[in-house]
Amino acid sequence: MLLVNNLSFYRNDILIFEDLNLSIGNGQITQIRGKNGSGKTTFLKVILNILDSKIGEIFWEGKNIKKNIFNFYNETTFIMDQNTSSRKLTVFDNINFWRGLSSSKLNDYDINLLLETFNLKKYKDTKVMYLSTGEVKKLELLRLILEKKKLWILDEPYNHLDDLSIEILNQTFIDHINKDGIILFASHFNPSIENLRVIDFN
Amino acid sequence: MFKFLLNPNSFNKFSDTIFKPLVAITSIILVTGLILVYRSPLDYQQGLTVKIMYIHVPSAWLALLTYAIMTIYSIISLAFKIPFGFIINKAIAPIGTVFTVLCLLSGSLWGKPMWGTWWVWDARLTSVAILLIIYVIIIFLNQTFENREVREKTIAIFILIGSINLPIIKFSVDWWNTLHQPASVSKLSSPSIDISMLQPLLVMTVAFSLVGLIIAILRIKVEILTRKNYL
Amino acid sequence: MLFVKKIFLFFKRESKLFHNNIVDLLSNIIFFFLSIFVFVFALGTDEQLLRSIGLGIIWSLLLFSSTLSLRKFYEDDFNNGVLIIFHMSGISYEFIAFLKIISHFLFVQMPFLISLPIASIFFNLPIIEVYNLILTFIIGSLILSCLGSISASMNLLNKTNFSIGSILVLLFSIPLIIFSVGINEYENNFYSLFNLLLGIALIFLGISPWSSGAFIKLALKNK
């Protein structure tokens, strides 16, 4: 349960958004839609406490996140619009790093299977710098499954993906919701997911 | 009473009232000082070149004084979150730079006939040169960061760290064996300088600091105007 | 236990990154040797002269070479968001900065240790000075890493004036140079100056993670 209460944010004394109220229960998926510069990314970053908002509160499972920030992070996966994979390391090295950080229980066999579904298996020992933009994005989305967290926050997850990958991603979202997970993402794209709640930022 | 030292609005009011008398007094003192310097006796060893002292010593003192003021304001503005200190830091750093350059240049011109060289790597000279570099870096830092708060705090912290240099400059002539002569005026009980030379020196110092004060007031007012939105 | 594992993971990743980037590292060392050559060509090959000024030259060139790749200290991890991911796994920015300093010390500064004896041979330094040079470099390079961390994290906020970071590192390393070269001037001064260096290193090890962490947080907020 993610609860946002009267949230306002100013950047350099310019209002970005004001008096935002939002509550996302378990098993719900929410999209934030809006034109460029409407503050979608900023909103996600404020929720994650990367940007600091002085007005308003955010609660995760009934606790103020500012006081329990690492408990909150412990249950959250954040996919940024930039790619967190290191270009100079191989695909498998990157996966290993993420796996270690989130102390994931997946073994090498599972990871091979995962790479197979995302069609990345042949690049396992290739450096990320030689992958195409879409493939790097797919690699980034692998973190969702690796980390096995409850709350997924994604910034523009559909960018650079082909039709097949979009379908896989949608299916992943639906699986996660059915397991009582929470998804919050920002995108211009209109995916075909049932029960999708849309918040318009315009 | 001393609110004008911490508050931009009262500073504006205070400076408006004192500005015209201040300019008048400054011009009188400056002219008096120059006449006194002109009539002051020649040194029996150094001859005419001793008159460089009347520029060299006041500018050296004021270079240090400016930095000391900046240090005090940095502490005040960092500790008590008073933004006026940041304004002062930005406004008076160039004034300190000019005084330091004056001090180094006049010292160099004085050193050539007296010591036979424009520059020696002596503790006093080197530490003043480092003071000049610190001043220049402070001016550069003012142009560096886009974010105003970061810029002001960074500069204030940098000024605080750089203030280690002040006691080094002051005591360098006592700690190390230097070519530069030790302090001759600040020994209050018996200054080792003749009264006929001390008088014009002190008048010139007052004149220099008043000129600096006038420029500082103008610069601080400009700075207050440019950031009226934030105050 | 988990915390220790994360630290181990961090160093594993850093070592792989440096391994892939070994050319960059070797370029620093080549730069160091080449500038020694330039100095010798400029000053002439008078053995006495080179011996007397060798230590100072080696130290100043070490400084210049280690500021060469300072820009890369945080920039990559900051731009691709690894800092945020690492922070979200439960480690504060201050501790990340501390780990970064240690990894910079291990992977960038320590390779210079191999080049120091060779550089001393070029200048015909007496063996006692080589010994002092290596000892002071181990402490001094730690200070340099700390200074580099502060200036690099400052540069994250600064998109116009890129050389100011190197200027600050050079300015603050003046005392470092004075103490580490001065260690050879008087023989019985060794322990007092060495302890002084050690003290400076410990102070910086305390200050710089804290200030770098603050700068990183501010930079993330202003992105």
Side-chain angles (χ1 to χ4, degrees):
Chain A
M1 177 90 179
L2 184 72
L3 195 72
V4 177
N5 214 350
N6 281 333
L7 195 67
S8 305
F9 185 72
Y10 294 84
R11 163 171 281 168
N12 293 335
D13 305 325
I14 298 164
L15 179 76
I16 307 286
F17 52 79
E18 197 171 20
D19 267 352
L20 219 91
N21 290 299
L22 178 70
S23 91
I24 312 174
N26 289 357
Q28 277 186 346
I29 174 164
T30 308
Q31 181 185 6
I32 295 167
R33 208 176 285 169
K35 55 184 181 218
N36 297 70
S38 56
K40 300 189 296 283
T41 307
T42 311
F43 176 62
L44 295 185
K45 282 191 174 168
V46 171
I47 285 190
L48 282 162
N49 206 26
I50 295 167
L51 297 178
D52 197 16
S53 157
K54 298 199 167 58
I55 308 155
E57 287 150 324
I58 303 152
F59 295 96
W60 170 248
E61 310 283 21
K63 283 175 190 158
N64 194 330
I65 62 156
K66 277 190 188 166
K67 285 164 193 154
N68 299 285
I69 189 66
F70 284 123
N71 289 342
F72 175 58
Y73 283 160
N74 207 11
E75 295 189 75
T76 314
T77 298
F78 179 39
I79 306 284
M80 282 168 265
D81 50 350
Q82 70 263 62
N83 297 311
T84 52
S85 44
S86 308
R87 289 163 53 75
K88 284 169 194 151
L89 296 183
T90 66
V91 170
F92 191 64
D93 281 339
N94 271 305
I95 289 178
N96 250 342
F97 179 62
W98 293 331
R99 195 164 57 157
L101 278 190
S102 56
S103 39
S104 157
K105 300 250 171 2
L106 295 181
N107 55 25
D108 286 3
Y109 177 76
D110 296 331
I111 283 175
N112 278 336
L113 221 63
L114 258 176
L115 288 171
E116 193 96 49
T117 33
F118 272 94
N119 218 349
L120 287 169
K121 180 83 189 298
K122 58 187 172 215
Y123 299 122
K124 193 178 166 186
D125 293 318
T126 318
K127 283 182 189 171
V128 174
M129 56 202 278
Y130 300 118
L131 267 61
S132 77
T133 327
E135 282 159 346
V136 178
K137 189 78 196 175
K138 280 196 274 185
L139 176 65
E140 190 66 32
L141 290 169
L142 272 185
R143 260 182 40 220
L144 291 175
I145 298 148
L146 279 175
E147 297 187 357
K148 280 217 164 115
K149 304 287 176 65
K150 189 174 175 190
L151 173 66
W152 292 1
I153 294 180
L154 304 97
D155 195 2
E156 302 287 1
Y158 291 102
N159 277 9
H160 309 299
L161 292 185
D162 56 10
D163 291 345
L164 182 67
S165 319
I166 288 178
E167 223 162 86
I168 297 175
L169 183 59
N170 281 343
Q171 193 53 50
T172 323
F173 278 175
I174 290 166
D175 288 348
H176 187 58
I177 298 167
N178 289 340
K179 276 186 270 171
D180 259 8
I182 302 175
I183 301 174
L184 174 67
F185 68 97
S187 176
H188 319 278
F189 185 81
N190 303 335
S192 51
I193 303 173
E194 281 178 49
N195 301 326
L196 178 67
R197 205 172 118 206
V198 178
I199 294 174
D200 213 324
F201 248 56
N202 289 331
Chain B
M1 163 113 195
F2 291 110
K3 212 183 164 198
F4 67 92
L5 288 176
L6 297 174
N7 186 312
N9 289 330
S10 15
F11 178 84
N12 261 342
K13 272 182 209 151
F14 184 76
S15 60
D16 282 343
T17 49
I18 64 160
F19 193 72
K20 273 176 190 161
L22 186 67
V23 172
I25 294 171
T26 308
S27 30
I28 293 169
I29 292 181
L30 193 59
V31 171
T32 325
L34 286 174
I35 293 169
L36 277 177
V37 168
Y38 180 74
R39 297 178 49 173
S40 69
L42 300 184
D43 192 86
Y44 76 100
Q45 260 183 335
Q46 304 189 4
L48 192 60
T49 49
V50 76
K51 293 196 176 175
I52 295 175
M53 176 182 78
Y54 302 118
I55 295 177
H56 179 73
V57 175
S59 49
W61 283 346
L62 285 174
L64 291 190
L65 179 70
T66 314
Y67 201 92
I69 292 172
M70 283 161 70
T71 312
I72 292 167
Y73 268 109
S74 301
I75 296 171
I76 291 174
S77 46
L78 281 178
F80 304 110
K81 302 205 163 119
I82 295 170
F84 191 54
F86 299 130
I87 294 175
I88 295 221
N89 281 348
K90 190 179 176 191
I92 70 177
I95 301 172
T97 317
V98 171
F99 280 134
T100 320
V101 169
L102 257 181
C103 165
L104 283 173
L105 275 181
S106 57
S108 188
L109 289 174
W110 199 4
K112 184 60 184 172
M114 289 304 106
W115 302 338
T117 168
W118 300 105
W119 180 262
V120 267
W121 286 99
D122 153 301
R124 178 54 78 79
L125 276 68
T126 313
S127 49
V128 172
I130 288 174
L131 180 73
L132 175 62
I133 291 173
I134 290 175
Y135 267 129
V136 172
I137 289 178
I138 291 169
I139 295 174
F140 283 177
L141 279 175
N142 266 313
Q143 316 289 333
T144 294
F145 298 108
E146 284 167 24
N147 186 293
R148 189 175 43 84
E149 280 174 40
V150 175
R151 184 172 62 221
E152 288 168 344
K153 278 184 190 162
T154 312
I155 292 170
I157 292 170
F158 181 75
I159 290 171
L160 283 185
I161 299 172
S163 66
I164 298 168
N165 200 18
L166 287 187
I168 296 180
I169 295 175
K170 173 76 185 78
F171 296 112
S172 54
V173 278
D174 305 332
W175 291 345
W176 291 284
N177 239 337
T178 59
L179 200 52
H180 195 285
Q181 60 166 333
S184 34
V185 179
S186 58
K187 290 184 284 179
L188 277 178
S189 52
S190 58
S192 55
I193 176 170
D194 188 73
I195 192 76
S196 60
M197 285 184 179
L198 186 62
Q199 257 173 359
L201 180 61
L202 290 180
V203 176
M204 278 308 273
T205 308
V206 174
F208 262 59
S209 25
L210 287 178
V211 170
L213 186 64
I214 288 174
I215 302 171
I217 286 176
L218 290 175
R219 284 189 56 91
I220 292 169
K221 284 175 90 169
V222 170
E223 199 53 39
I224 290 173
L225 282 177
T226 49
R227 42 175 104 187
K228 209 159 202 170
N229 298 337
Y230 306 117
L231 286 171
Chain C
M1 201 56 224
L2 215 62
F3 195 67
V4 178
K5 204 181 145 198
K6 275 173 195 160
I7 294 169
F8 177 71
L9 203 73
F10 176 84
F11 278 112
K12 203 174 150 194
R13 176 170 174 276
E14 289 282 301
S15 75
K16 270 193 176 145
L17 277 174
F18 279 110
H19 182 75
N20 287 334
N21 221 358
I22 195 105
V23 181
D24 188 27
L25 220 166
L26 288 178
S27 308
N28 284 355
I29 294 177
I30 295 298
F31 178 89
F32 174 61
F33 277 115
L34 207 59
S35 29
I36 287 179
F37 279 42
V38 168
F39 251 102
V40 173
F41 289 140
L43 292 171
T45 51
D46 180 10
E47 214 171 278
Q48 273 306 314
L49 176 75
L50 287 181
R51 180 179 294 195
S52 58
I53 62 173
L55 198 69
I57 289 179
I58 287 177
W59 252 108
S60 23
L61 293 180
L62 275 175
L63 246 172
F64 295 144
S65 337
S66 65
T67 51
L68 269 184
S69 56
L70 267 189
R71 287 274 313 280
K72 286 283 156 204
F73 206 105
Y74 288 113
E75 212 177 50
D76 286 348
D77 285 351
F78 178 74
N79 284 338
N80 64 15
V82 171
L83 284 179
I84 294 179
I85 296 293
F86 207 59
H87 176 61
M88 281 180 71
S89 81
I91 294 167
S92 65
Y93 288 118
E94 285 79 9
F95 198 74
I96 295 174
F98 177 75
L99 291 179
K100 271 276 176 189
I101 290 167
I102 300 295
S103 88
H104 187 262
F105 174 66
L106 288 178
F107 298 119
V108 179
Q109 307 275 24
M110 282 301 104
F112 275 105
L113 269 186
I114 308 160
S115 63
L116 286 184
I118 306 171
S120 326
I121 291 172
F122 285 143
F123 287 109
N124 282 315
L125 292 185
I127 191 73
I128 177 77
E129 284 194 9
V130 182
Y131 168 72
N132 286 350
L133 174 64
I134 289 175
L135 265 184
T136 46
F137 179 71
I138 291 175
I139 307 294
S141 60
L142 189 60
I143 301 174
L144 280 181
S145 293
C146 293
L147 284 173
S149 161
I150 296 177
S151 89
S153 57
M154 235 175 77
N155 262 346
L156 293 179
L157 280 156
N158 159 14
K159 293 177 184 75
T160 46
N161 188 352
F162 291 119
S163 33
I164 195 91
S166 313
I167 291 177
L168 288 181
V169 170
L170 284 186
L171 180 69
F172 288 126
S173 55
I174 289 174
L176 169 65
I177 285 274
I178 293 173
F179 294 137
S180 24
V181 178
I183 233 171
N184 289 296
E185 305 250 313
Y186 321 97
E187 270 174 29
N188 46 4
N189 242 4
F190 180 85
Y191 283 106
S192 59
L193 279 181
F194 188 76
N195 288 343
L196 203 60
L197 272 179
L198 211 61
I200 296 178
L202 287 177
I203 289 173
F204 270 112
L205 215 53
I207 294 173
S208 68
W210 168 74
S211 54
S212 318
F215 277 125
I216 290 171
K217 270 184 235 168
L218 279 169
L220 285 173
K221 277 176 192 169
N222 284 298
K223 209 181 167 191

